[in-house]
Amino acid sequence: MFPSLATRILRTTDQRCLWKFAWNFGVKGILSVEKFKRRIKRGDYFPPFLYLSIINSCNLRCQGCWVDVEEKDAIDLESLNRTITDAKEHGNAFFGILGGEPFMHPELLDLLATHRDCYFQLFTNGQFITEKIANRLRELGNATPLVSIEGREITSDERRGRKDVFNKTMRGLEHCLRARLLTGVATSVCRSNIDELLTAEWLRELIRRGVHYVWYHTYRPVGPKMNPQLALAPDQLVRVRRFVVEMRATMPIAIIDAYYDHAGRALCPMATGVSHHVNPRGDIEPCPIIQFAVENIRDSRGVFETMRGSSFLRDFRELSARATRGCVVLERPDLIKELVVKHGARDTTARGTAMAELAAMQPRLSQWLPGEEVPERHWMYRLAKKYWFSDFGAYQRVNHDAGPRARRLKTNLDRQDAAANTGPDQPGPVKRECHAIRD
């Protein structure tokens, strides 16, 4: 698998893009994680991977999206440059760029050009990537487009809230591949697309088209338009994990995930401290779906000192690690509310309803399913995760007693699914869900 993948990447990727990826992301990325590991031994936390949502605006209206896409919030170039420069001074070299739709930010390419010594992953629906923009990205060489595809023609239109979404996105993807960019495809796996896109056939199609990597992440029902009907059932969560591990060992395409270590144990990147999020207003959030903040990147101390000194981020990491190896937002939204109140954190949304949205959530399983761990099969992924994407000791001093609760919740969720498939909604299972995760 690996020799075929390496050969395919070498043959289809521009040399400048390859060099920037190998040096800025590979070598410098590893060094940034090593610096992170040394810092946390001293009790200093600053993530080696920062994710920056640079703009709210988006041309699509996706089901279950938590971003205020109709707003015009965007981080100005000066603040972005200051944030990235400060992070670089402390060893960072990789930045995830999100939206909204990041290509709607008028100064995105200027940002990439200013920081040619960094590597950027651009989370995009691909519809703004013209031939001209793709060629400019090739000239810069320091960015990889990660194009979001949520289903085939019919499913894409349903998921993204617009017409002809699949074909428009595929045109942008094709522009990237023709420009010989290192290019990926991301999918938020949910009930409406799992049978279409979580398949070997789909991966083979992407390989034929020239795509170099994919990222499967699971849909999280949060925000003002949360859609619990799209959320995966426990058996589907295990199915996603088993598929990823199996395909990594057999298919000549790289597959990313952010929820598991080399032994298949669940983790949360926010709880481990490896990643935090900056929203389009510059607010520093624990992760993209926790839309509360105390600090902002415009703090005169700079982003490093601001994050390092944040008791809000520290308490979120520690709370999450104590509560679960999975997603604390999905499993214990009540704890999120308590911590927000404790710190007097502000709602960072334009809509101003984040607290009510938390109150409306029903606890559910996330990636942590005790007894269902699937270790990595391929040596490359085992090695990379063991040293550079583990839990970094976040759960070391925690004696989790959540295993029995998670298993009880799984039983209740199965009952809920069965009830939904055989008759009208019944409130009983939902109530038992809450007790199962808190008992």
Side-chain angles (χ1 to χ4, degrees):
M1 181 283 298
F2 182 67
S4 298
L5 172 60
T7 300
R8 196 164 65 83
I9 291 175
L10 288 171
R11 288 178 175 174
T12 60
T13 308
D14 179 81
Q15 289 187 352
R16 181 186 292 105
C17 295
L18 275 177
W19 168 248
K20 293 279 190 177
F21 170 75
W23 183 253
N24 290 356
F25 176 75
V27 174
K28 295 172 74 172
I30 288 173
L31 293 175
S32 71
V33 174
E34 292 298 326
K35 286 188 176 182
F36 167 75
K37 289 157 70 173
R38 291 194 294 272
R39 282 197 298 265
I40 62 177
K41 288 181 179 179
R42 305 191 300 266
D44 288 340
Y45 278 82
F46 181 74
F49 306 131
L50 277 179
Y51 285 85
L52 310 172
S53 289
I54 62 174
I55 190 168
N56 267 338
S57 303
C58 185
N59 56 314
L60 302 182
R61 296 295 181 269
C62 299
Q63 291 174 325
C65 182
W66 61 81
V67 179
D68 295 313
V69 294
E70 295 182 357
E71 298 297 322
K72 305 299 182 183
D73 296 321
I75 307 177
D76 60 278
L77 185 59
E78 180 181 355
S79 296
L80 286 169
N81 285 333
R82 178 172 177 262
T83 298
I84 291 174
T85 298
D86 189 11
K88 286 194 298 185
E89 290 175 356
H90 295 88
N92 287 34
F94 173 82
F95 300 87
I97 304 296
L98 306 88
E101 169 50 51
F103 280 94
M104 293 180 72
H105 195 295
E107 296 173 309
L108 171 61
L109 296 180
D110 295 330
L111 176 69
L112 305 184
T114 301
H115 302 280
R116 295 173 187 250
D117 54 344
C118 294
Y119 199 76
F120 298 89
Q121 187 174 46
L122 310 176
F123 293 71
T124 174
N125 60 48
Q127 297 189 13
F128 290 89
I129 303 180
T130 61
E131 290 185 12
K132 181 179 179 180
I133 288 177
N135 288 331
R136 178 56 177 155
L137 290 174
R138 183 182 62 198
E139 292 171 2
L140 294 170
N142 64 340
T144 172
L146 180 60
V147 179
S148 174
I149 297 178
E150 295 299 299
R152 301 279 186 173
E153 286 85 347
I154 295 175
T155 304
S156 284
D157 286 356
E158 291 175 348
R159 285 279 288 121
R160 313 308 291 267
R162 292 289 189 262
K163 298 295 184 182
D164 200 31
V165 172
F166 182 78
N167 290 325
K168 292 177 180 177
T169 293
M170 295 306 284
R171 279 197 290 273
L173 179 67
E174 185 63 26
H175 291 151
C176 294
L177 296 172
R178 287 181 180 175
R180 299 174 64 83
L181 303 177
L182 188 68
T183 303
V185 166
T187 296
S188 177
V189 185
C190 62
R191 294 198 185 204
S192 65
N193 64 22
I194 187 170
D195 293 328
E196 289 183 359
L197 302 186
L198 195 78
T199 66
E201 178 185 0
W202 171 244
L203 290 183
R204 282 192 287 267
E205 178 177 335
L206 294 180
I207 291 169
R208 287 195 299 270
R209 290 179 178 272
V211 173
H212 304 106
Y213 68 98
V214 295
W215 187 339
Y216 286 111
H217 52 97
T218 53
Y219 169 71
R220 274 137 162 71
V222 297
K225 299 177 182 178
M226 66 181 80
N227 193 330
Q229 291 74 29
L230 290 177
L232 298 181
D235 62 313
Q236 291 173 316
L237 292 169
V238 177
R239 174 182 164 189
V240 173
R241 174 61 182 163
R242 291 189 182 280
F243 175 84
V244 167
V245 170
E246 178 67 25
M247 294 299 104
R248 278 173 166 165
T250 57
M251 287 278 192
I253 188 168
I255 304 179
I256 299 173
D257 78 82
Y259 304 144
Y260 303 94
D261 67 10
H262 66 288
R265 295 170 298 198
L267 57 81
C268 166
M270 178 269 291
T272 67
V274 76
S275 175
H276 288 312
H277 177 251
V278 177
N279 80 357
R281 295 180 171 184
D283 296 312
I284 300 171
E285 301 167 341
C287 81
I289 65 173
I290 299 178
Q291 295 181 291
F292 298 94
V294 172
E295 294 90 7
N296 191 283
I297 60 171
R298 296 179 179 88
D299 189 300
S300 60
R301 294 173 294 173
V303 69
F304 178 81
E305 289 296 339
T306 300
M307 282 193 172
R308 189 177 71 155
S310 172
S311 59
F312 180 65
L313 294 178
R314 182 197 64 228
D315 284 359
F316 254 107
R317 289 190 300 267
E318 295 177 355
L319 170 78
S320 179
R322 286 196 306 269
T324 175
R325 289 191 70 107
C327 175
V328 69
V329 183
L330 297 187
E331 296 185 17
R332 294 296 306 270
D334 59 306
L335 294 181
I336 304 297
K337 290 173 60 179
E338 291 175 9
L339 201 54
V340 167
V341 171
K342 173 185 174 181
H343 285 271
R346 62 183 174 274
D347 181 337
T348 58
T349 68
R351 58 190 181 271
T353 57
M355 203 61 145
E357 293 157 17
L358 276 178
M361 291 180 64
Q362 294 291 345
R364 63 174 53 249
L365 284 177
S366 63
Q367 64 266 32
W368 188 33
L369 300 170
E372 299 289 348
E373 290 81 5
V374 183
E376 294 293 344
R377 285 181 51 193
H378 195 279
W379 67 266
M380 181 180 69
Y381 291 97
R382 283 200 309 271
L383 182 69
K385 285 195 167 192
K386 182 176 181 179
Y387 292 103
W388 302 300
F389 195 81
S390 67
D391 62 25
F392 299 109
Y395 308 104
Q396 195 171 32
R397 293 182 294 274
V398 179
N399 182 22
H400 282 121
D401 62 351
R405 290 179 296 185
R407 285 189 286 273
R408 288 198 297 272
L409 179 55
K410 178 179 178 181
T411 299
N412 289 327
L413 283 173
D414 290 342
R415 290 175 182 168
Q416 183 180 356
D417 290 337
N421 291 331
T422 58
D425 293 338
Q426 299 181 19
V430 175
K431 292 180 180 178
R432 287 195 295 272
E433 277 186 44
C434 301
H435 293 308
I437 199 118
R438 295 178 187 173
D439 288 347

